[in-house]
C-alpha cells in the first residue's frame, strides 16, 4: 500500500512542458509577433538562455540579453499565474491520495516563487506538506539528493513510497537509487519506451495507478 508520494511538478502534475520547450515562440507571441518558424531550444555550443536570446534577437534586434531574460521571466510568471493547467486527472488523484492519508511533497526543478501562484490558483498547495526545489537543495535531479531529502521529510519507508515523474533523466536517478517510480506520460518527453521499461508503473491516466499498483 502506498504511504508516501514525491511528486515532480512540470509535465507530471502541470501541463507546462510545452511552454518550456517553445518558450521563444510563446514569448514572442506574447509580445505581439507572429512566429511561423520552429525556433531551436538549444543551439550547438550555447546554453538555454543564450539560445533564447539569439531567437528573440531575430525578431527584436535591439534588445539586450538582460532585457530578453528579464521579460522572458515575466512571461513565465504570467503563464504560471494565469494560464497553466493541471494534467488531466491530476487534482482528482491528489485528492484521492490525500483522503487515503498518503503523505505527499513536491520535488521540482522549478523555482517556488514561479510555482506558488499556480498552486494557489489551482488549489493544489493544500495537498503537500513541503515543496522542495533543486535550487534550494543546490543539486539537480541528476543526483538523488532531492528525493532523499523528500523521503526523510515524509518519514515513510522507501518501499512504501513512490516518486511520480515524467522525465527520463530523473526517473533514471530514482531507479538507480532504489526508489519506486510511477512514470506519468507527457507528450513532450520523447523517450517513452525507455521510460516505460525503467518504471515500476507507467500510466497515461492517473486512475491507472491503482490498477497497476500491486502493493
Amino acid at each position: 500500500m502506498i504511504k508516501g508520494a514525491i511528486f515532480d511538478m512540470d509535465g507530471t502534475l502541470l501541463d507546462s512542458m510545452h511552454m518550456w520547450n517553445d518558450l521563444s515562440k510563446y514569448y514572442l507571441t506574447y509580445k505581439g509577433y507572429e512566429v511561423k518558424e520552429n525556433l531551436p531550444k538549444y543551439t550547438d555550443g550555447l546554453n538555454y538562455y543564450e539560445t533564447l536570446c539569439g531567437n528573440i534577437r531575430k525578431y527584436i534586434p535591439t534588445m539586450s540579453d538582460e532585457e530578453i531574460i528579464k521579460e522572458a521571466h515575466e512571461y513565465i510568471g504570467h503563464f504560471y499565474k494565469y494560464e497553466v493547467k493541471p494534467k488531466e486527472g491530476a487534482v482528482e488523484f491528489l485528492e484521492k491520495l490525500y483522503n487515503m492519508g498518503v503523505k505527499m511533497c513536491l520535488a521540482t526543478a522549478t523555482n517556488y516563487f514561479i510555482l506558488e501562484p499556480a498552486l494557489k490558483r489551482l488549489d493544489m498547495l493544500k495537498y503537500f506538506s513541503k515543496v522542495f526545489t533543486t535550487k534550494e537543495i543546490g543539486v539537480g535531479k541528476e543526483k538523488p539528493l532531492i528525493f532523499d531529502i523528500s523521503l526523510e521529510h515524509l518519514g515513510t519507508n522507501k518501499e512504501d513510497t513512490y516518486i511520480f515523474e515524467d522525465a527520463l533523466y530523473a526517473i533514471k536517478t530514482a531507479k538507480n537509487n532504489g526508489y519506486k517510480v510511477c512514470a506519468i506520460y507527457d507528450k513532450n518527453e520523447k523517450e517513452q519506451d525507455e521510460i516505460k521499461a525503467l518504471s515500476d508503473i507507467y500510466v497515461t491516466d492517473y486512475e491507472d495507478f491503482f490498477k497497476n499498483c500491486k502493493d
Side-chain angles (χ1 to χ4, degrees):
M1 176 64 70
I2 180 173
K3 295 182 179 178
I6 301 168
F7 282 92
D8 173 54
M9 202 70 201
D10 293 291
T12 299
L13 291 174
L14 294 182
D15 186 13
S16 51
M17 290 309 299
H18 62 93
M19 185 277 296
W20 289 106
N21 287 345
D22 291 316
L23 176 58
S24 297
K25 182 176 181 179
Y26 282 117
Y27 166 65
L28 284 165
T29 302
Y30 177 68
K31 287 183 69 65
Y33 289 84
E34 184 178 3
V35 182
K36 295 182 179 180
E37 63 181 308
N38 292 320
L39 296 171
K41 179 179 178 182
Y42 296 105
T43 302
D44 288 344
L46 301 179
N47 66 32
Y48 182 81
Y49 282 109
E50 288 170 332
T51 301
L52 172 69
C53 290
N55 288 339
I56 302 309
R57 270 198 296 274
K58 291 179 183 178
Y59 290 80
I60 319 174
T62 58
M63 288 190 75
S64 67
D65 286 2
E66 293 76 15
E67 289 171 326
I68 291 170
I69 292 171
K70 180 177 181 291
E71 287 199 2
H73 284 164
E74 290 172 357
Y75 168 71
I76 292 167
H78 181 276
F79 173 78
Y80 278 94
K81 188 172 183 178
Y82 298 108
E83 297 180 25
V84 72
K85 296 178 181 178
K87 295 286 285 282
E88 186 173 355
V91 176
E92 293 82 359
F93 183 67
L94 292 173
E95 181 73 15
K96 190 165 188 175
L97 291 182
Y98 185 80
N99 290 334
M100 290 169 58
V102 175
K103 297 179 179 180
M104 294 180 280
C105 68
L106 285 173
T108 176
T110 303
N111 290 333
Y112 182 70
F113 75 89
I114 293 174
L115 286 177
E116 185 182 24
L119 291 169
K120 288 183 175 179
R121 173 172 58 84
L122 299 170
D123 199 25
M124 296 171 72
L125 195 58
K126 63 186 179 184
Y127 298 115
F128 306 108
S129 56
K130 183 74 174 178
V131 179
F132 295 102
T133 70
T134 53
K135 183 174 182 179
E136 170 196 7
I137 299 302
V139 180
K141 290 183 180 179
E142 296 85 0
K143 303 288 185 181
L145 183 59
I146 194 168
F147 299 136
D148 295 341
I149 290 174
S150 296
L151 183 69
E152 182 179 6
H153 164 76
L154 293 178
T156 53
N157 296 322
K158 188 177 280 191
E159 58 268 24
D160 299 322
T161 305
Y162 277 88
I163 291 174
F164 292 82
E165 269 283 357
D166 68 297
L168 177 59
Y169 82 101
I171 291 169
K172 283 182 176 179
T173 300
K175 289 303 300 176
N176 288 339
N177 289 275
Y179 285 95
K180 289 183 175 181
V181 173
C182 176
I184 308 299
Y185 170 77
D186 188 86
K187 64 184 179 182
N188 299 283
E189 183 69 41
K190 303 304 181 185
E191 305 297 333
Q192 292 300 319
D193 289 341
E194 189 172 357
I195 288 172
K196 190 172 185 178
L198 278 174
S199 303
D200 298 276
I201 297 175
Y202 175 89
V203 301
T204 57
D205 186 313
Y206 270 102
E207 274 302 311
D208 291 339
F209 174 81
F210 294 105
K211 299 174 185 176
N212 291 281
C213 185
K214 306 300 182 184
D215 300 330

